[in-house]
Amino acid sequence: QSVLTQPPSASGTPGQRVTISCSGSSSNIGTNNVNWYQQLSGTAPKLLIYGNNQRPSGVPDRFSGSKSGTSASLAISGLQSEDETDYYCAAWDDSLNGVVFGGGTKLTVL
Amino acid sequence: QVQLQESGPGLVKSSETLSLTCTVSGGSINNYYWSWIRQPPGKGLEWIGYIYYTGTTKYNPSLKSRVTISVDTSKHQFSLNLNSVTAADTAVYYCASPLMPGYLYGWAYWGQGTLVTVSS
């Protein structure tokens, strides 16, 4: 069972806006930055969002991150077929003294 | 552009030690926290630990008793040792580094990953 909670699945149609949630606690999301990763099948994860809402160079602005209290969200606007893959959130946990992940969300583009 | 490459045996016997090395190229090993992350087949990601270029380490509490991460700055390499392995340690092992110096996580650079299978 993961420390951060993500829905196992999400879906949307092309062009739609979808959000993926990541729920934690005061010892992780509540006090530390959240990062989001996209992982295509058989490949290493790719950093999508760092510092809650910052995009690395090269990540389309269709991807955005936000945080409120002990929860964070990844929003994908203008959904495209190539967005169909797995997404993970991660944060530092002060109680565990280490990085914790969400269990991952599989996004389906209908 | 930083590039990372994992190397090591793809098959380890149960109760023995898993040893992997990550070679860093295209950038400095200094001032960065270097991490190991693993992913069992069909499952999610698990952070194993990190090492700063000075040798300071931090490990996942669930693995701390079995993990050692070391760094050799002269060879631009850092390594993972995980002892007393069981089938539960079968996973793809990734080395990774953050986007910026001084960041603990927020891994922008990853190796391609190496599958390590623990056999009985």
Side-chain angles (χ1 to χ4, degrees):
Chain A
Q1 190 166 351
S2 302
V3 175
L4 304 182
T5 302
Q6 296 180 236
S9 63
S11 63
T13 56
Q16 195 176 21
R17 181 178 187 270
V18 298
T19 60
I20 297 172
S21 62
C22 177
S23 177
S25 67
S26 58
S27 65
N28 43 64
I29 294 178
T31 52
N32 297 298
N33 287 330
V34 177
N35 302 321
W36 288 91
Y37 298 89
Q38 177 191 60
Q39 186 178 29
L40 302 175
S41 179
T43 69
K46 171 187 175 182
L47 182 64
L48 276 184
I49 299 290
Y50 69 97
N52 303 320
N53 55 19
Q54 303 299 303
R55 281 187 309 277
S57 175
V59 173
D61 59 7
R62 301 188 298 108
F63 295 91
S64 62
S66 63
K67 187 179 89 168
S68 178
T70 59
S71 292
S73 292
L74 172 70
I76 309 172
S77 60
L79 198 62
Q80 300 178 3
S81 58
E82 56 260 40
D83 299 331
E84 181 168 291
T85 191
D86 297 326
Y87 295 85
Y88 293 89
C89 59
W92 185 267
D93 189 293
D94 291 334
S95 295
L96 295 176
N97 208 15
V99 180
V100 292
F101 283 97
T105 298
K106 183 174 183 59
L107 176 63
T108 300
V109 180
L110 302 171
Chain B
Q1 177 84 354
V2 174
Q3 292 186 315
L4 305 174
Q5 175 74 53
E6 304 94 349
S7 58
L11 187 64
V12 180
K13 292 184 178 179
S14 182
S15 79
E16 296 189 345
T17 297
L18 178 159
S19 296
L20 297 173
T21 295
C22 183
T23 301
V24 180
S25 61
S28 175
I29 200 168
N30 294 337
N31 301 312
Y32 280 85
Y33 289 87
W34 303 95
S35 278
W36 287 97
I37 296 127
R38 71 179 182 178
Q39 185 172 35
K43 297 187 178 181
L45 300 165
E46 179 180 35
W47 174 73
I48 298 171
Y50 70 60
I51 188 165
Y52 195 46
Y53 77 106
T54 57
T56 299
T57 56
K58 186 80 73 176
Y59 302 133
N60 186 322
S62 69
L63 299 170
K64 188 175 182 178
S65 63
R66 299 193 292 129
V67 172
T68 302
I69 299 176
S70 59
V71 65
D72 186 334
T73 55
S74 66
K75 293 183 177 180
H76 293 267
Q77 293 178 333
F78 62 104
S79 299
L80 168 69
N81 277 358
L82 179 66
N83 60 39
S84 304
V85 297
T86 69
D89 294 310
T90 294
V92 175
Y93 286 76
Y94 296 101
C95 56
S97 74
L99 181 64
M100 300 179 194
Y103 275 33
L104 296 180
Y105 57 113
W107 303 292
Y109 306 104
W110 296 70
Q112 83 279 8
T114 186
L115 174 63
V116 179
T117 302
V118 177
S119 67
S120 55

